[in-house]
Each structure stands twice: as structure tokens, then as C-alpha cells.
Amino acid sequence: MWIAEGLVQRYPTKALATLSASCPVYCGHCTRTYLTGPSTRRARRRRFRLALGPRCERMLERLRASPEIRDVVLSGGDVADVPMGFLETFVSSLMDIPHLRDIRLDSKALIGLPQHFLQARVLDGLHRLASKGWARGVDLCLHTQANHGSQITASVSQAARAVRSAGVRDIRNQGVLLRGVNSEAPDLLELCARSRDHAGIIPYYFYMCDMIPNCEHWRLALWEAQRLQEALLDRLPGFATPRLVCDVPLLGKQWVHQAADYDRERGISYWTKNYLTPLESGDGDALHRRYAYYDPIHTLPESGRRWWAAAGRRSGSSGLPAEE
Ligand code: SF4
């Protein structure tokens, strides 16, 4: 839910600002599918009411009035789809807010369209922002999304080094776990090694694929993600060991070993939260509620599949049992 149009606060000290609803990539597993790209027959997208300028002004006003927020992520969409002059002005204004200490720019264009980050006007703008951030004690980082080692091409390596030479403190990778792409530990380890060795990109997070239409073939069960996390722990240095996380609906990002309860037979994991955002302050049950994430049916044992088939028959066509 937005606290100002385009501004989401799902965690106590962090906010996500959306400047653009477009993206140069349009992944099938898009984690911003509620907004990014045009509506399709299967998925309707939310639309902005305000134009970019007034929307950014409202977001800045809200952030100035929210001293608990210290960390702003610019995502979307993709910051590469925002004109560099506008992006520079907005980020510079963020840096003028005294309580903001971390600014992250999200861009998969570094992987899908690395030429964007080799343009002089982009690198010059990043350099001016990084210099201002350094002087004001604000970290400016770039977050990107690589899902397989083969995506770390020579152009990606060149662009990543140019961005870091411009003064951006770190480039971190937030990938998505995809069956058949990176669902085996050797694939993830190779991706982590190539991104660090060839491009200086730090492995940061891998998200379990969201429960969105047409993604069941990519999704992993929670137990598979937990096993992958364990396989990575002893093979990478601590500072470059990515955390495998699940974006639990209505809750937010949780480490895969944080589930409060897990019914392996039915593939339902239950999660709890230990913080409130301003929008939840009147919701007395938020800290006691259990939030569910569902494994893909094809990963369940036969007994679990039978249970879901029977539940589907009981509840009509939704497939969700009446008691869930
Ligand atoms: S790069 Fe990010 S915003 Fe763009 S389509 Fe992929 S997941 Fe969605």
C-alpha cells in the first residue's frame, strides 16, 4: 500500500520509491507485476494518477516528514527508464533529507542493457551523485538482477566497472530463484563467482519466485530453497554469501529459515512479523497473525496433492480449502 503515490513502506526504516512503471526487460516472473508494464488479459496493472514531477514532489514531502525512514530504494520499473537529468535531481533531493543514509538504485538494465550504463551522461550524473553522497555521508548503491552466470558478459563487466569507477559504492545482485535456471547449488555458486570475479558485483539476495500466474514451473518449494541456502553457506565468504528469501504476501521479505511453521505434506509455510509499519499501527492483530506461502503443487508428495484436489472439490473452483 502506498503512503504517498508511488511510495511503499513495508518495513519500519525503509521505503521503496517507484519512479517508472516501465522496464527494459519485462521478466516473466516480474516481482512488481502489480504495476510494471501494460495490463494484459491475465493481469491488470495499477496506474499512477499523478505525473512524474508532482508524484516525486509528494514522495519527497512524505519522506521529509518520516524521520524513521533511513533507507530508500528506487525501483519500479527500472531507474534506467527514468531520464538521467530527472533521476539526478530526485536523488540529489533525497540526499538533502538529513535522516536518509542509504539510497539504492534498482536496475536490471545493467544486465539486460549494459550499454545504458556506459553512456557519458549517465556516468557523469552518477559521479556527481556519488560525490555528493560521499560528502554528506549517504551511501549510493546500485542493485541489479542476474539469475545465471552466463548473464555476466564482457559488456556487463565493463558497465559494472564503469559504474563503480564513477563512485557508486557497491553493486549488489538480487536474483530470483528459477527452477532449471539456478535451482542447483553449482549454478548459484558459479553465478556468485562470475559476478564477483568479472564484474565486482556482490551476491546479496535470491528471492523465491512470487506466486504469480504462469510461474509455477519456475517456483521452488521452501524446503528446496532452504537446502540451497545451506549448500551456499560454507562455500562463499560471509560478505558475499547471498541470503535466500521469500517475499511472503502481506508480510514482506523473510529469510527462508525464518518460517514459524511448515506443513511439508501440504506445502504451506507460515510466517509471522515482529514489526509494524505506520499503516498497520491501528491493526492490533498484525503481530499475532500468521501469513502463508504455498509450495508449488508439483513438489508435494502424493498425499499432499490428493489433499489439495479434495480441498478444491470442497471449495468449488478456487482450490483453496474453506479453512485456510
Ligand atoms: S527487471 Fe524487475 S521490474 Fe523489470 S520486469 Fe524484471 S522483475 Fe519486473
Side-chain angles (χ1 to χ4, degrees), residues 61-76:
E61 273 169 30
R62 180 61 197 245
L63 288 167
R64 288 185 195 109
S66 305
E68 76 280 6
I69 296 176
R70 53 159 292 140
D71 182 354
V72 175
V73 179
L74 270 63
S75 188

Side-chain angles (χ1 to χ4, degrees), residues 23-27 29-32 36 76-78 108 145:
C23 177
V25 186
Y26 292 139
C27 314
H29 53 77
C30 181
T31 48
R32 306 244 183 272
T36 303
D78 195 300
K108 189 166 180 173
Q145 187 202 118

